[in-house]
mmCIF file of all heavy atoms in Angstrom:
data_model
loop_
_atom_site.group_PDB
_atom_site.id
_atom_site.type_symbol
_atom_site.label_atom_id
_atom_site.label_comp_id
_atom_site.label_asym_id
_atom_site.label_seq_id
_atom_site.Cartn_x
_atom_site.Cartn_y
_atom_site.Cartn_z
ATOM 1 N N SER M 1 -6.492 -12.714 6.919
ATOM 2 C CA SER M 1 -6.331 -12.101 5.601
ATOM 3 C C SER M 1 -5.131 -11.169 5.568
ATOM 4 O O SER M 1 -4.337 -11.174 4.621
ATOM 5 C CB SER M 1 -7.606 -11.324 5.228
ATOM 6 O OG SER M 1 -8.711 -12.189 5.112
ATOM 7 N N LEU M 2 -4.985 -10.365 6.622
ATOM 8 C CA LEU M 2 -3.849 -9.442 6.704
ATOM 9 C C LEU M 2 -2.521 -10.184 6.726
ATOM 10 O O LEU M 2 -1.539 -9.739 6.114
ATOM 11 C CB LEU M 2 -3.969 -8.570 7.960
ATOM 12 C CG LEU M 2 -5.100 -7.542 7.988
ATOM 13 C CD1 LEU M 2 -5.267 -6.981 9.396
ATOM 14 C CD2 LEU M 2 -4.830 -6.409 6.995
ATOM 15 N N LEU M 3 -2.484 -11.318 7.424
ATOM 16 C CA LEU M 3 -1.235 -12.082 7.533
ATOM 17 C C LEU M 3 -0.753 -12.566 6.169
ATOM 18 O O LEU M 3 0.453 -12.596 5.912
ATOM 19 C CB LEU M 3 -1.432 -13.273 8.476
ATOM 20 C CG LEU M 3 -1.454 -12.945 9.972
ATOM 21 C CD1 LEU M 3 -1.862 -14.175 10.777
ATOM 22 C CD2 LEU M 3 -0.098 -12.431 10.432
ATOM 23 N N VAL M 4 -1.689 -12.933 5.295
ATOM 24 C CA VAL M 4 -1.297 -13.407 3.963
ATOM 25 C C VAL M 4 -0.603 -12.282 3.192
ATOM 26 O O VAL M 4 0.487 -12.463 2.643
ATOM 27 C CB VAL M 4 -2.519 -13.928 3.175
ATOM 28 C CG1 VAL M 4 -2.104 -14.320 1.759
ATOM 29 C CG2 VAL M 4 -3.148 -15.124 3.883
ATOM 30 N N GLY M 5 -1.236 -11.114 3.164
ATOM 31 C CA GLY M 5 -0.645 -9.986 2.439
ATOM 32 C C GLY M 5 0.646 -9.502 3.052
ATOM 33 O O GLY M 5 1.616 -9.192 2.343
ATOM 34 N N THR M 6 0.689 -9.447 4.385
ATOM 35 C CA THR M 6 1.891 -9.000 5.092
ATOM 36 C C THR M 6 3.071 -9.939 4.825
ATOM 37 O O THR M 6 4.181 -9.489 4.503
ATOM 38 C CB THR M 6 1.627 -8.923 6.606
ATOM 39 O OG1 THR M 6 0.552 -8.018 6.855
ATOM 40 C CG2 THR M 6 2.861 -8.455 7.351
ATOM 41 N N SER M 7 2.826 -11.227 4.944
ATOM 42 C CA SER M 7 3.897 -12.210 4.734
ATOM 43 C C SER M 7 4.425 -12.172 3.309
ATOM 44 O O SER M 7 5.647 -12.218 3.079
ATOM 45 C CB SER M 7 3.392 -13.619 5.064
ATOM 46 O OG SER M 7 2.967 -13.702 6.403
ATOM 47 N N PHE M 8 3.505 -12.068 2.353
ATOM 48 C CA PHE M 8 3.929 -12.022 0.948
ATOM 49 C C PHE M 8 4.760 -10.770 0.673
ATOM 50 O O PHE M 8 5.813 -10.830 0.038
ATOM 51 C CB PHE M 8 2.709 -12.063 0.025
ATOM 52 C CG PHE M 8 3.072 -12.047 -1.441
ATOM 53 C CD1 PHE M 8 3.295 -13.241 -2.119
ATOM 54 C CD2 PHE M 8 3.198 -10.859 -2.136
ATOM 55 C CE1 PHE M 8 3.643 -13.240 -3.462
ATOM 56 C CE2 PHE M 8 3.543 -10.841 -3.474
ATOM 57 C CZ PHE M 8 3.767 -12.042 -4.139
ATOM 58 N N ALA M 9 4.267 -9.625 1.145
ATOM 59 C CA ALA M 9 4.963 -8.353 0.895
ATOM 60 C C ALA M 9 6.353 -8.355 1.520
ATOM 61 O O ALA M 9 7.332 -7.903 0.900
ATOM 62 C CB ALA M 9 4.135 -7.192 1.452
ATOM 63 N N LYS M 10 6.468 -8.852 2.745
ATOM 64 C CA LYS M 10 7.768 -8.900 3.417
ATOM 65 C C LYS M 10 8.741 -9.790 2.652
ATOM 66 O O LYS M 10 9.911 -9.427 2.459
ATOM 67 C CB LYS M 10 7.594 -9.402 4.848
ATOM 68 C CG LYS M 10 6.912 -8.394 5.772
ATOM 69 C CD LYS M 10 6.447 -9.010 7.095
ATOM 70 C CE LYS M 10 7.587 -9.351 7.998
ATOM 71 N NZ LYS M 10 7.110 -9.768 9.344
ATOM 72 N N SER M 11 8.254 -10.937 2.204
ATOM 73 C CA SER M 11 9.113 -11.874 1.472
ATOM 74 C C SER M 11 9.577 -11.284 0.151
ATOM 75 O O SER M 11 10.750 -11.392 -0.222
ATOM 76 C CB SER M 11 8.358 -13.185 1.218
ATOM 77 O OG SER M 11 7.979 -13.792 2.429
ATOM 78 N N LEU M 12 8.643 -10.647 -0.578
ATOM 79 C CA LEU M 12 8.992 -10.076 -1.884
ATOM 80 C C LEU M 12 9.986 -8.928 -1.731
ATOM 81 O O LEU M 12 10.979 -8.853 -2.466
ATOM 82 C CB LEU M 12 7.724 -9.592 -2.597
ATOM 83 C CG LEU M 12 7.924 -9.045 -4.015
ATOM 84 C CD1 LEU M 12 8.515 -10.113 -4.937
ATOM 85 C CD2 LEU M 12 6.594 -8.543 -4.595
ATOM 86 N N ALA M 13 9.726 -8.036 -0.784
ATOM 87 C CA ALA M 13 10.639 -6.909 -0.563
ATOM 88 C C ALA M 13 12.026 -7.404 -0.154
ATOM 89 O O ALA M 13 13.054 -6.884 -0.626
ATOM 90 C CB ALA M 13 10.069 -5.972 0.498
ATOM 91 N N TYR M 14 12.055 -8.401 0.699
ATOM 92 C CA TYR M 14 13.333 -8.961 1.152
ATOM 93 C C TYR M 14 14.083 -9.595 -0.011
ATOM 94 O O TYR M 14 15.296 -9.395 -0.188
ATOM 95 C CB TYR M 14 13.086 -10.000 2.251
ATOM 96 C CG TYR M 14 14.348 -10.570 2.848
ATOM 97 C CD1 TYR M 14 15.056 -9.878 3.824
ATOM 98 C CD2 TYR M 14 14.822 -11.812 2.438
ATOM 99 C CE1 TYR M 14 16.213 -10.403 4.376
ATOM 100 C CE2 TYR M 14 15.981 -12.348 2.985
ATOM 101 C CZ TYR M 14 16.672 -11.639 3.951
ATOM 102 O OH TYR M 14 17.826 -12.161 4.496
ATOM 103 N N GLY M 15 13.353 -10.369 -0.830
ATOM 104 C CA GLY M 15 13.984 -11.038 -1.963
ATOM 105 C C GLY M 15 14.522 -10.077 -3.003
ATOM 106 O O GLY M 15 15.550 -10.336 -3.633
ATOM 107 N N LEU M 16 13.831 -8.951 -3.187
ATOM 108 C CA LEU M 16 14.250 -7.951 -4.177
ATOM 109 C C LEU M 16 15.199 -6.913 -3.575
ATOM 110 O O LEU M 16 15.721 -6.054 -4.299
ATOM 111 C CB LEU M 16 13.022 -7.242 -4.758
ATOM 112 C CG LEU M 16 12.055 -8.099 -5.577
ATOM 113 C CD1 LEU M 16 10.807 -7.301 -5.947
ATOM 114 C CD2 LEU M 16 12.731 -8.629 -6.845
ATOM 115 N N ASN M 17 15.368 -6.959 -2.235
ATOM 116 C CA ASN M 17 16.226 -6.002 -1.526
ATOM 117 C C ASN M 17 15.768 -4.567 -1.760
ATOM 118 O O ASN M 17 16.564 -3.672 -2.072
ATOM 119 C CB ASN M 17 17.695 -6.170 -1.936
ATOM 120 C CG ASN M 17 18.644 -5.452 -0.976
ATOM 121 O OD1 ASN M 17 18.329 -5.283 0.210
ATOM 122 N ND2 ASN M 17 19.782 -5.004 -1.484
ATOM 123 N N ILE M 18 14.457 -4.355 -1.621
ATOM 124 C CA ILE M 18 13.874 -3.014 -1.775
ATOM 125 C C ILE M 18 13.054 -2.690 -0.525
ATOM 126 O O ILE M 18 12.700 -3.585 0.245
ATOM 127 C CB ILE M 18 12.981 -2.904 -3.035
ATOM 128 C CG1 ILE M 18 11.859 -3.952 -2.994
ATOM 129 C CG2 ILE M 18 13.819 -3.032 -4.306
ATOM 130 C CD1 ILE M 18 10.884 -3.858 -4.178
ATOM 131 N N PRO M 19 12.741 -1.405 -0.298
ATOM 132 C CA PRO M 19 12.010 -1.025 0.915
ATOM 133 C C PRO M 19 10.620 -1.654 1.019
ATOM 134 O O PRO M 19 9.950 -1.908 0.010
ATOM 135 C CB PRO M 19 11.905 0.501 0.793
ATOM 136 C CG PRO M 19 13.044 0.900 -0.083
ATOM 137 C CD PRO M 19 13.184 -0.224 -1.067
ATOM 138 N N LEU M 20 10.201 -1.852 2.257
ATOM 139 C CA LEU M 20 8.876 -2.351 2.610
ATOM 140 C C LEU M 20 8.112 -1.199 3.245
ATOM 141 O O LEU M 20 8.656 -0.479 4.082
ATOM 142 C CB LEU M 20 9.028 -3.508 3.598
ATOM 143 C CG LEU M 20 7.769 -4.181 4.143
ATOM 144 C CD1 LEU M 20 7.072 -4.976 3.040
ATOM 145 C CD2 LEU M 20 8.134 -5.102 5.318
ATOM 146 N N ILE M 21 6.853 -1.003 2.833
ATOM 147 C CA ILE M 21 6.069 0.128 3.342
ATOM 148 C C ILE M 21 4.735 -0.379 3.875
ATOM 149 O O ILE M 21 3.956 -0.989 3.137
ATOM 150 C CB ILE M 21 5.818 1.180 2.234
ATOM 151 C CG1 ILE M 21 7.159 1.715 1.692
ATOM 152 C CG2 ILE M 21 4.952 2.322 2.759
ATOM 153 C CD1 ILE M 21 7.022 2.619 0.479
ATOM 154 N N ASP M 22 4.480 -0.144 5.163
ATOM 155 C CA ASP M 22 3.200 -0.563 5.747
ATOM 156 C C ASP M 22 2.174 0.555 5.612
ATOM 157 O O ASP M 22 2.501 1.736 5.736
ATOM 158 C CB ASP M 22 3.378 -0.967 7.204
ATOM 159 C CG ASP M 22 3.835 0.184 8.086
ATOM 160 O OD1 ASP M 22 4.820 0.862 7.702
ATOM 161 O OD2 ASP M 22 3.211 0.418 9.128
ATOM 162 N N VAL M 23 0.924 0.172 5.347
ATOM 163 C CA VAL M 23 -0.131 1.144 5.053
ATOM 164 C C VAL M 23 -1.343 0.883 5.950
ATOM 165 O O VAL M 23 -1.759 -0.260 6.129
ATOM 166 C CB VAL M 23 -0.556 1.067 3.571
ATOM 167 C CG1 VAL M 23 -1.749 1.983 3.288
ATOM 168 C CG2 VAL M 23 0.621 1.426 2.665
ATOM 169 N N ASN M 24 -1.889 1.962 6.495
ATOM 170 C CA ASN M 24 -3.146 1.896 7.240
ATOM 171 C C ASN M 24 -4.303 1.944 6.234
ATOM 172 O O ASN M 24 -4.433 2.892 5.462
ATOM 173 C CB ASN M 24 -3.231 3.078 8.219
ATOM 174 C CG ASN M 24 -4.473 3.051 9.081
ATOM 175 O OD1 ASN M 24 -5.590 3.009 8.577
ATOM 176 N ND2 ASN M 24 -4.286 3.121 10.393
ATOM 177 N N HIS M 25 -5.131 0.919 6.258
ATOM 178 C CA HIS M 25 -6.237 0.785 5.309
ATOM 179 C C HIS M 25 -7.170 2.000 5.330
ATOM 180 O O HIS M 25 -7.639 2.454 4.280
ATOM 181 C CB HIS M 25 -7.023 -0.490 5.656
ATOM 182 C CG HIS M 25 -8.189 -0.775 4.770
ATOM 183 N ND1 HIS M 25 -8.089 -1.517 3.609
ATOM 184 C CD2 HIS M 25 -9.494 -0.432 4.864
ATOM 185 C CE1 HIS M 25 -9.272 -1.619 3.041
ATOM 186 N NE2 HIS M 25 -10.147 -0.958 3.783
ATOM 187 N N MET M 26 -7.430 2.540 6.519
ATOM 188 C CA MET M 26 -8.346 3.671 6.641
ATOM 189 C C MET M 26 -7.723 4.958 6.083
ATOM 190 O O MET M 26 -8.401 5.766 5.448
ATOM 191 C CB MET M 26 -8.759 3.864 8.107
ATOM 192 C CG MET M 26 -9.456 2.651 8.707
ATOM 193 S SD MET M 26 -10.866 2.091 7.720
ATOM 194 C CE MET M 26 -11.956 3.511 7.852
ATOM 195 N N GLN M 27 -6.425 5.142 6.319
ATOM 196 C CA GLN M 27 -5.736 6.280 5.700
ATOM 197 C C GLN M 27 -5.760 6.161 4.182
ATOM 198 O O GLN M 27 -5.907 7.154 3.464
ATOM 199 C CB GLN M 27 -4.291 6.357 6.184
ATOM 200 C CG GLN M 27 -4.121 6.887 7.587
ATOM 201 C CD GLN M 27 -2.654 7.107 7.938
ATOM 202 O OE1 GLN M 27 -1.769 6.414 7.435
ATOM 203 N NE2 GLN M 27 -2.397 8.064 8.811
ATOM 204 N N ALA M 28 -5.635 4.935 3.696
ATOM 205 C CA ALA M 28 -5.589 4.705 2.248
ATOM 206 C C ALA M 28 -6.899 5.096 1.577
ATOM 207 O O ALA M 28 -6.896 5.660 0.472
ATOM 208 C CB ALA M 28 -5.254 3.245 1.961
ATOM 209 N N HIS M 29 -8.028 4.806 2.221
ATOM 210 C CA HIS M 29 -9.319 5.230 1.659
ATOM 211 C C HIS M 29 -9.351 6.743 1.471
ATOM 212 O O HIS M 29 -9.890 7.254 0.485
ATOM 213 C CB HIS M 29 -10.470 4.803 2.582
ATOM 214 C CG HIS M 29 -10.998 3.429 2.308
ATOM 215 N ND1 HIS M 29 -11.461 3.039 1.053
ATOM 216 C CD2 HIS M 29 -11.161 2.350 3.114
ATOM 217 C CE1 HIS M 29 -11.881 1.784 1.120
ATOM 218 N NE2 HIS M 29 -11.698 1.340 2.340
ATOM 219 N N ILE M 30 -8.770 7.461 2.412
ATOM 220 C CA ILE M 30 -8.759 8.921 2.340
ATOM 221 C C ILE M 30 -7.767 9.411 1.279
ATOM 222 O O ILE M 30 -8.073 10.284 0.463
ATOM 223 C CB ILE M 30 -8.415 9.517 3.719
ATOM 224 C CG1 ILE M 30 -9.526 9.179 4.726
ATOM 225 C CG2 ILE M 30 -8.199 11.027 3.629
ATOM 226 C CD1 ILE M 30 -9.189 9.493 6.173
ATOM 227 N N LEU M 31 -6.576 8.825 1.275
ATOM 228 C CA LEU M 31 -5.536 9.284 0.353
ATOM 229 C C LEU M 31 -5.740 8.804 -1.078
ATOM 230 O O LEU M 31 -5.021 9.229 -1.986
ATOM 231 C CB LEU M 31 -4.157 8.864 0.872
ATOM 232 C CG LEU M 31 -3.763 9.516 2.212
ATOM 233 C CD1 LEU M 31 -2.402 9.013 2.685
ATOM 234 C CD2 LEU M 31 -3.758 11.036 2.092
ATOM 235 N N ALA M 32 -6.749 7.964 -1.305
ATOM 236 C CA ALA M 32 -7.109 7.581 -2.677
ATOM 237 C C ALA M 32 -7.481 8.806 -3.502
ATOM 238 O O ALA M 32 -7.391 8.795 -4.736
ATOM 239 C CB ALA M 32 -8.273 6.592 -2.668
ATOM 240 N N HIS M 33 -7.879 9.881 -2.824
ATOM 241 C CA HIS M 33 -8.220 11.125 -3.516
ATOM 242 C C HIS M 33 -7.010 11.762 -4.205
ATOM 243 O O HIS M 33 -7.174 12.653 -5.040
ATOM 244 C CB HIS M 33 -8.803 12.129 -2.515
ATOM 245 C CG HIS M 33 -10.183 11.791 -2.049
ATOM 246 N ND1 HIS M 33 -11.315 12.141 -2.736
ATOM 247 C CD2 HIS M 33 -10.606 11.099 -0.969
ATOM 248 C CE1 HIS M 33 -12.383 11.701 -2.104
ATOM 249 N NE2 HIS M 33 -11.980 11.057 -1.020
ATOM 250 N N PHE M 34 -5.793 11.321 -3.851
ATOM 251 C CA PHE M 34 -4.591 11.945 -4.402
ATOM 252 C C PHE M 34 -3.962 11.138 -5.536
ATOM 253 O O PHE M 34 -2.875 11.458 -6.013
ATOM 254 C CB PHE M 34 -3.592 12.207 -3.274
ATOM 255 C CG PHE M 34 -4.095 13.225 -2.296
ATOM 256 C CD1 PHE M 34 -4.797 12.829 -1.161
ATOM 257 C CD2 PHE M 34 -3.934 14.579 -2.546
ATOM 258 C CE1 PHE M 34 -5.304 13.764 -0.271
ATOM 259 C CE2 PHE M 34 -4.436 15.524 -1.667
ATOM 260 C CZ PHE M 34 -5.122 15.123 -0.523
ATOM 261 N N ILE M 35 -4.666 10.105 -5.990
ATOM 262 C CA ILE M 35 -4.245 9.394 -7.206
ATOM 263 C C ILE M 35 -4.432 10.324 -8.399
ATOM 264 O O ILE M 35 -5.451 11.002 -8.519
ATOM 265 C CB ILE M 35 -5.082 8.110 -7.399
ATOM 266 C CG1 ILE M 35 -4.793 7.113 -6.266
ATOM 267 C CG2 ILE M 35 -4.809 7.479 -8.753
ATOM 268 C CD1 ILE M 35 -5.725 5.910 -6.256
ATOM 269 N N ASP M 36 -3.425 10.384 -9.268
ATOM 270 C CA ASP M 36 -3.543 11.203 -10.475
ATOM 271 C C ASP M 36 -4.514 10.535 -11.436
ATOM 272 O O ASP M 36 -4.225 9.464 -11.986
ATOM 273 C CB ASP M 36 -2.170 11.358 -11.160
ATOM 274 C CG ASP M 36 -1.263 12.328 -10.427
ATOM 275 O OD1 ASP M 36 -1.790 13.143 -9.644
ATOM 276 O OD2 ASP M 36 -0.041 12.262 -10.618
ATOM 277 N N GLU M 37 -5.677 11.136 -11.616
ATOM 278 C CA GLU M 37 -6.706 10.561 -12.472
ATOM 279 C C GLU M 37 -7.402 11.690 -13.218
ATOM 280 O O GLU M 37 -7.911 12.634 -12.606
ATOM 281 C CB GLU M 37 -7.729 9.766 -11.644
ATOM 282 C CG GLU M 37 -8.745 9.002 -12.442
ATOM 283 C CD GLU M 37 -8.153 7.832 -13.220
ATOM 284 O OE1 GLU M 37 -7.155 7.240 -12.733
ATOM 285 O OE2 GLU M 37 -8.684 7.509 -14.299
ATOM 286 N N ALA M 38 -7.409 11.620 -14.538
ATOM 287 C CA ALA M 38 -8.029 12.669 -15.360
ATOM 288 C C ALA M 38 -9.495 12.853 -14.988
ATOM 289 O O ALA M 38 -10.240 11.881 -14.846
ATOM 290 C CB ALA M 38 -7.908 12.312 -16.840
ATOM 291 N N GLY M 39 -9.900 14.103 -14.815
ATOM 292 C CA GLY M 39 -11.286 14.402 -14.512
ATOM 293 C C GLY M 39 -11.638 14.405 -13.039
ATOM 294 O O GLY M 39 -12.785 14.667 -12.670
ATOM 295 N N PHE M 40 -10.650 14.092 -12.168
ATOM 296 C CA PHE M 40 -10.902 14.059 -10.732
ATOM 297 C C PHE M 40 -9.970 15.037 -10.029
ATOM 298 O O PHE M 40 -8.758 14.942 -10.151
ATOM 299 C CB PHE M 40 -10.697 12.645 -10.180
ATOM 300 C CG PHE M 40 -11.759 11.669 -10.620
ATOM 301 C CD1 PHE M 40 -11.670 11.052 -11.859
ATOM 302 C CD2 PHE M 40 -12.843 11.385 -9.804
ATOM 303 C CE1 PHE M 40 -12.643 10.156 -12.286
ATOM 304 C CE2 PHE M 40 -13.821 10.492 -10.220
ATOM 305 C CZ PHE M 40 -13.728 9.876 -11.461
ATOM 306 N N ASN M 41 -10.572 15.985 -9.310
ATOM 307 C CA ASN M 41 -9.791 16.971 -8.577
ATOM 308 C C ASN M 41 -9.355 16.428 -7.222
ATOM 309 O O ASN M 41 -10.002 15.549 -6.650
ATOM 310 C CB ASN M 41 -10.612 18.250 -8.376
ATOM 311 C CG ASN M 41 -10.945 18.932 -9.685
ATOM 312 O OD1 ASN M 41 -10.124 18.946 -10.605
ATOM 313 N ND2 ASN M 41 -12.143 19.488 -9.778
#
């Protein structure tokens, strides 16, 4: 499953000539708290 997302992201970033950013899934669960969302501190 990871290979599908990784391959697609690398190809798209390369084709658009923009940065590629790798993310740790477990860190993302934690940092979801920092999404700007009304009513959530």
